[in-house]
Amino acid sequence: MTDNPPSEAPNGGDTGRRPAGRWGRRVQPLSLAVAAAFLLADQLSKSWAVASLKNERVVHVVGSLHFNLSYNSGMAFGRGRGLGPIIGVIALVVVVYLLIGLRTSGSRLGAIAVGMVMGGAAGNVVDRLFRGSGWFRGAVVDFIDLRWWPVFNVADIGVTVGGVLLVVGSLLTRPAPKAA
């Protein structure tokens, strides 16, 4: 499969731009900026949690919200303990898939949602890579504790809210009419 040829200017010259097609769009800078922001916020908040919440220290914030350090070697809700390497590889595949998918994201909401999912997934992959005894043997740092929900982190917020936004965006987007 080949790339689409560059567009031609009305006078027959080459504009240097590619037409809007699957391989013609450029990566969404907004998605990358949102992903970077979520990754940075996630890693900074986890560093704070590891430094400030050691020795089983719990910080009451407001209502049922507490900061309480825990480590998750499994997946969501503590399931799959010991499957960290497999979960890490799957998360890495998701990040790569989303990077490739950025080329076809058309809406602002879609770009933000993809960035949130990608930044959140990358944040948890970083934990699995570097917070353990070996490659993909690390545990994810969780510290946001509502007392009535499993403990989570900023990366989990990005993945969850981004996923919901992707679904909402797909429901609100009408398919383009087919050309006759």
Side-chain angles (χ1 to χ4, degrees):
M1 185 173 190
T2 60
D3 256 355
N4 295 329
S7 298
E8 291 185 13
N11 63 2
D14 183 0
T15 64
R17 289 183 284 150
R18 298 196 183 280
R22 176 159 168 68
W23 300 108
R25 284 199 188 141
R26 301 175 77 199
V27 171
Q28 295 283 339
L30 178 59
S31 292
L32 294 176
V34 170
F38 260 89
L39 178 60
L40 181 64
D42 177 64
Q43 291 301 303
L44 289 174
S45 64
K46 287 174 180 175
S47 293
W48 170 82
V50 168
S52 301
L53 301 174
K54 49 186 153 187
N55 301 324
E56 298 184 26
R57 178 174 177 236
V58 176
V59 176
H60 176 260
V61 181
V62 64
S64 67
L65 176 61
H66 292 74
F67 291 148
N68 177 19
L69 183 63
S70 69
Y71 294 90
N72 184 355
S73 63
M75 56 185 174
F77 310 119
R79 301 227 186 270
R81 295 213 184 272
L83 297 176
I86 295 168
I87 295 164
V89 169
I90 291 169
L92 192 57
V93 168
V94 166
V95 170
V96 170
Y97 175 79
L98 288 172
L99 269 172
I100 292 168
L102 283 175
R103 299 175 69 86
T104 59
S105 178
S107 72
R108 179 177 291 270
L109 179 64
I112 291 169
V114 166
M116 291 174 75
V117 172
M118 192 168 59
N124 285 339
V125 166
V126 167
D127 282 6
R128 292 192 187 283
L129 284 172
F130 301 112
R131 293 191 193 270
S133 59
W135 196 250
F136 279 122
R137 300 249 182 246
V140 174
V141 173
D142 288 328
F143 66 95
I144 303 171
D145 186 357
L146 296 173
R147 302 291 172 159
W148 47 269
W149 190 259
V151 183
F152 58 97
N153 58 45
V154 173
D156 297 335
I157 294 169
V159 170
T160 303
V161 173
V164 168
L165 288 176
L166 282 172
V167 170
V168 168
S170 70
L171 294 174
L172 296 177
T173 304
R174 294 184 184 159
K178 293 186 178 182

